[in-house]
Amino acid sequence: MTFKLRTSKYRHVFCDPPKPEQCWTGMRLSTVTGDQQYIKASAKYYIIALAGGGGPMHVGRLDRPGRFESGTSPIVHGHTGSVLDFDFNPFDDSLFASGSEDTTIKIWGIPEEWEPTDDHGNAKKGENLSESLTDLVGHRKKVTLVRFNPTANNVLASASADGSVKVWDIEKGESISSFDDVHDLTQDIVWDYKGDNYFTSCKDKVVRIMDARTGTVASSIETAHEGVKSVKLVYLGKGDKFLSVGSSKQSSREVKIWDLKNLQKPVHTETIDTASGVLLPMYDHDTSVLYLAGKGDGILRPFEFEDKDPYLHRLNDGFRSTQPCKGICMVPKRGLNVMACESARLLKLTNNHGVHPLSFTVPRKSDAFQDDIFPDCAGPMPAHSAEEWAAGSSKEPVTMSLNPADAGKAKPVLKKAFKSVTQLNSELDQARARIDYLESKLKENSIAYD
């Protein structure tokens, strides 16, 4: 019998504990619990919910670690209830949506001058952001989850405790589709690679694959996991596989991989451990690396996915810490230090010790750009507009090179600016004043006009 060693570029990936000066501290976190990740990040900012009235949120800059001070550092607030979930627009690092117990979804735009901390990591005084760009109203109960479409611009999915999942065009402020037959609380929403369909897991143990444009069920899995723990989902790249994380009948945490061509049974099942927390999966579509982090524990496990048996391969020992994880998210590849061979960065939210950046690095001796471990990744350019997507357009994400030498070759991204109601009213008042002035000049010169 011949023994063959499996080769992988990411086998020796490692993560060192972050230094105190690399972390963000001082935040008093919201006590609201749920199925959300509690923290989200773009390539420039991260966001967490704070304790207090009006659903306050802290938006921190990734390049400015330091200490947050309540009453000094600026915050985002505007809801009348606690904020349960939020998500950044993948095509605009400063635009994000927040869902709240007040049944509304608000779209926010972070100003360019936003600086909660200064260059030295100290709290910096600034003006709070209290006016949203637009509000999405349609749910009858609290909004528990929000997720942006990965390819279509300004398309957002939201789940509510009223038993509905809606898809929105946030630019028009209206719903594109709605599915109103969820029999229990929705635990997770994920989009597929092209953003044509979304997958939902529910407390009734049913996983539904939904046609996002029509809001109808394309197929479903009646009992994805037999246990009572929350079920989380992630779509595995360009193929037809997706992964679910839940628990078995004996309460062991487990991972299952499903083939969309045959949902009768999973193609692979792997038991992780018997811990009590919910597992949060994060998948890098470019490198096919899966990261599993458990709420309430300090272990982060990396796996490499391969579209053939045995599907999952354990990479190294991952990361272990004595600080339990409250929530975690992945920073987009555009925000990584590729010249230091940083293949992934996860932001770990703790209960009392702030936000810790966990940088996973592939050891390389060369100082040059490593194109073999950094394939092209999803860029900040939408593949189509909300109208094109709703009309049936289906495209893969537009990719970009991570090589700094190609940075000048990329086409500039033209972003359509969102304007708040106050801004529009101000522009309207200015336009009316200008019209009145011009009309008075016409009268002075006895010029007729209609």
Side-chain angles (χ1 to χ4, degrees):
M1 180 178 178
T2 59
F3 176 76
K4 185 178 179 181
L5 185 67
R6 181 179 177 272
T7 59
S8 171
K9 297 186 286 289
Y10 307 99
R11 181 195 296 174
H12 301 293
V13 66
F14 68 94
C15 177
D16 291 327
K19 298 177 181 179
E21 60 268 21
Q22 296 173 324
C23 302
W24 297 265
T25 58
M27 294 81 71
R28 193 162 67 92
L29 304 180
S30 172
T31 56
V32 175
T33 58
D35 294 304
Q36 65 271 25
Q37 292 175 241
Y38 297 107
I39 182 170
K40 291 288 180 66
S42 68
K44 189 175 180 180
Y45 301 100
Y46 72 89
I47 179 172
I48 57 176
L50 301 175
M57 294 169 281
H58 164 57
V59 178
R61 283 177 47 167
L62 296 182
D63 61 344
R64 292 281 182 87
R67 183 167 182 80
F68 171 88
E69 287 186 10
S70 179
T72 302
S73 301
I75 61 172
V76 179
H77 64 94
H79 285 283
T80 57
S82 298
V83 172
L84 298 178
D85 196 25
F86 25 72
D87 197 28
F88 276 97
N89 188 329
F91 314 115
D92 189 342
D93 292 331
S94 61
L95 191 75
F96 71 92
S98 61
S100 169
E101 287 183 340
D102 64 10
T103 74
T104 66
I105 302 167
K106 289 181 180 289
I107 310 299
W108 305 88
I110 307 167
E112 285 293 327
E113 63 274 9
W114 189 264
E115 291 184 347
T117 54
D118 60 22
D119 293 330
H120 304 289
N122 301 316
K124 185 174 181 179
K125 187 144 185 83
E127 188 176 347
N128 292 342
L129 179 62
S130 59
E131 186 178 0
S132 60
L133 298 175
T134 185
D135 293 356
L136 305 177
V137 180
H139 288 296
R140 301 186 306 277
K141 292 184 179 180
K142 63 182 180 181
V143 180
T144 55
L145 297 169
V146 289
R147 297 287 186 274
F148 271 101
N149 188 294
T151 62
N153 198 19
N154 298 327
V155 174
L156 178 77
S158 65
S160 170
D162 63 7
S164 67
V165 179
K166 294 181 182 293
V167 176
W168 305 84
D169 180 343
I170 66 172
E171 191 172 353
K172 294 181 179 179
E174 60 185 31
S175 174
I176 297 174
S177 67
S178 180
F179 177 71
D180 303 314
D181 198 22
V182 181
H183 303 298
D184 216 323
L185 198 64
T186 301
Q187 296 173 332
D188 201 10
I189 306 176
V190 296
W191 291 91
D192 66 10
Y193 186 70
K194 291 184 177 181
D196 293 331
N197 305 307
Y198 62 82
F199 298 61
T200 65
S201 61
C202 184
K203 203 172 180 180
D204 62 7
K205 301 183 181 181
V206 179
V207 171
R208 298 175 177 86
I209 295 95
M210 308 289 301
D211 185 326
R213 297 178 180 88
T214 61
T216 56
V217 180
S219 54
S220 63
I221 304 170
E222 289 303 317
T223 306
H225 296 269
E226 295 183 342
V228 296
K229 287 188 178 72
S230 180
V231 175
K232 299 296 181 182
L233 307 169
V234 66
Y235 198 81
L236 299 172
K238 299 180 181 180
D240 50 11
K241 304 288 193 304
F242 74 95
L243 176 143
S244 65
V245 178
S247 61
S248 65
K249 208 169 187 178
Q250 292 76 31
S251 293
S252 298
R253 297 195 294 189
E254 63 183 9
V255 172
K256 291 184 179 182
I257 296 177
W258 303 84
D259 190 337
L260 288 173
K261 298 173 185 174
N262 182 12
L263 297 174
Q264 297 301 314
K265 63 178 182 178
V267 295
H268 178 72
T269 303
E270 186 162 331
T271 301
I272 304 299
D273 57 20
T274 57
S276 59
V278 175
L279 280 175
L280 298 174
M282 291 153 289
Y283 184 69
D284 187 339
H285 294 279
D286 312 310
T287 61
S288 300
V289 176
L290 171 73
Y291 300 89
L292 291 179
K295 285 185 179 180
D297 62 58
I299 305 174
L300 207 156
R301 303 169 177 86
F303 295 84
E304 188 169 11
F305 170 73
E306 191 175 21
D307 197 2
K308 62 181 181 180
D309 195 63
Y311 295 100
L312 291 178
H313 304 274
R314 186 71 180 266
L315 296 175
N316 220 330
D317 291 330
F319 177 77
R320 292 175 180 267
S321 169
T322 57
Q323 297 295 335
C325 169
K326 177 180 175 67
I328 197 164
C329 71
M330 182 179 285
V331 176
K333 296 292 281 292
R334 297 179 284 113
L336 303 184
N337 184 2
V338 295
M339 298 310 293
C341 295
E342 183 185 28
S343 62
R345 188 189 308 162
L346 309 180
L347 298 185
K348 173 184 171 183
L349 178 65
T350 62
N351 282 306
N352 301 310
H353 296 84
V355 178
H356 297 180
L358 304 181
S359 177
F360 284 82
T361 305
V362 178
R364 291 289 173 93
K365 293 181 179 179
S366 174
D367 292 332
F369 176 74
Q370 307 293 310
D371 56 358
D372 61 323
I373 61 173
F374 293 110
D376 289 356
C377 71
M381 305 79 68
H384 37 207
S385 66
E387 293 85 358
E388 293 169 340
W389 176 85
S393 175
S394 177
K395 297 179 182 178
E396 292 186 0
V398 179
T399 58
M400 61 174 282
S401 172
L402 289 172
N403 191 343
D406 298 334
K409 302 177 184 177
K411 296 181 180 179
V413 181
L414 299 176
K415 296 179 181 178
K416 189 172 182 179
F418 268 83
K419 294 183 179 180
S420 65
V421 175
T422 302
Q423 290 173 318
L424 292 173
N425 286 335
S426 175
E427 291 180 3
L428 182 59
D429 291 339
Q430 292 176 7
R432 285 172 175 167
R434 181 65 177 170
I435 291 171
D436 291 341
Y437 170 76
L438 294 174
E439 286 181 348
S440 65
K441 288 296 182 182
L442 290 172
K443 289 179 180 178
E444 289 177 8
N445 292 277
S446 301
I447 300 175
Y449 62 93
D450 293 330

